[in-house]
Amino acid sequence: MSILLASASPRRAELLEALGVSFTIVPAEVAERVLPGEPPDHTACRLAAAKARAVCALAEDALVVAADTLVVLDGTVLGKPRDAQQAIEMLAALRGREHLVHTGLAVGKAGALTLQLATSPVVMRNYSAAEIAAYVATGDPLDKAGAYGCQHPVFHPVETYGNCYANVMGLPLCHLYRLLTQLGATPLRSPLEACPWAIAHGGCIWSAAILQAPPTSWQHCPPA
């Protein structure tokens, strides 16, 4: 089965490749804007669905994987910073506090679409202003929602994770594994063999509950 990844994110490509999935990257051209009054978790799912639809229209016989990840602090969506100064401001606002990371995950083919939402509570450590400045100077936060990469080898911004580490990276692997398996496209490796958290900690306390969730029902994909 031909699989297309509707994302230019190197993190998502890295995670999907770690599952042992063969895929082609076809970035979706979708305006990633938040609608007035729209709950952030709805936004993540709406944008993931829009990305899946856009790429499905290009290749009807392919299975399309799309995702949209939002960092939410006190109900406010923190997108990708427009410049270094805004990255500094975002990281300062997140410091020592809990926020939520929502990823809408959409898998579609030939007009059918299924959506999943992964939500992870994340607590940032109390890093210093000097650490923020040094991290921003690397340029790493400028293409990331919330201005941070949880996997950065030097900055290490996160103190604790909940529900799914891969979700915070941008692609919830257990959710995706379950969906692909349901479609008869079971990845070569399990999420526990692909997720950096599970590998580093000898397992994952959240994966069993996600993988054992009831099967997802497929519905016809309505117009955007």
Side-chain angles (χ1 to χ4, degrees):
M1 186 179 294
S2 175
I3 296 179
L4 304 180
L5 176 61
S7 174
S9 165
R11 274 78 57 188
R12 291 193 181 114
E14 174 188 343
L15 289 170
L16 190 55
E17 185 176 12
L19 276 179
V21 174
S22 178
F23 61 94
T24 301
I25 295 174
V26 182
E29 298 296 330
V30 171
E32 298 183 9
R33 62 179 181 272
V34 179
L35 301 179
E38 184 179 40
D41 54 345
H42 290 196
T43 302
C45 288
R46 175 178 59 80
L47 292 176
K51 293 175 182 179
R53 291 186 185 107
V55 175
C56 279
L58 301 176
E60 294 185 356
D61 293 333
L63 185 66
V64 176
V65 175
D68 189 81
T69 301
L70 299 178
V71 173
V72 183
L73 177 66
D74 296 335
T76 299
V77 174
L78 303 183
K80 297 176 183 177
R82 61 178 175 270
D83 54 30
Q85 181 57 41
Q86 189 175 45
I88 291 172
E89 293 169 359
M90 286 183 180
L91 290 167
L94 290 166
R95 178 172 48 197
R97 301 189 60 199
E98 180 178 284
H99 63 277
L100 296 177
V101 176
H102 298 300
T103 295
L105 177 65
V107 178
K109 182 181 180 182
L113 180 75
T114 190
L115 282 169
Q116 293 281 287
L117 174 71
T119 298
S120 299
V122 177
V123 178
M124 303 292 262
R125 67 181 181 85
N126 192 27
Y127 38 73
S128 68
E131 286 180 291
I132 292 176
Y135 176 52
V136 172
T138 68
D140 186 73
L142 297 181
D143 69 338
K144 295 174 176 61
Y148 75 90
C150 65
Q151 72 278 15
H152 193 269
V154 177
F155 186 43
H156 296 298
V158 178
E159 183 173 297
T160 62
Y161 300 90
N163 298 343
C164 181
Y165 172 88
N167 173 44
V168 184
M169 285 186 69
L171 192 66
L173 292 178
C174 286
H175 295 78
L176 179 60
Y177 184 91
R178 188 181 68 212
L179 294 181
L180 293 178
T181 298
Q182 183 182 341
L183 284 171
T186 304
L188 293 177
R189 302 188 191 99
S190 78
L192 298 181
E193 297 174 297
C195 175
W197 173 273
I199 293 171
H201 293 81
C204 173
I205 61 174
W206 310 297
S207 64
I210 299 171
L211 292 171
Q212 293 170 9
T216 304
S217 61
W218 284 69
Q219 297 180 344
H220 178 72
C221 175

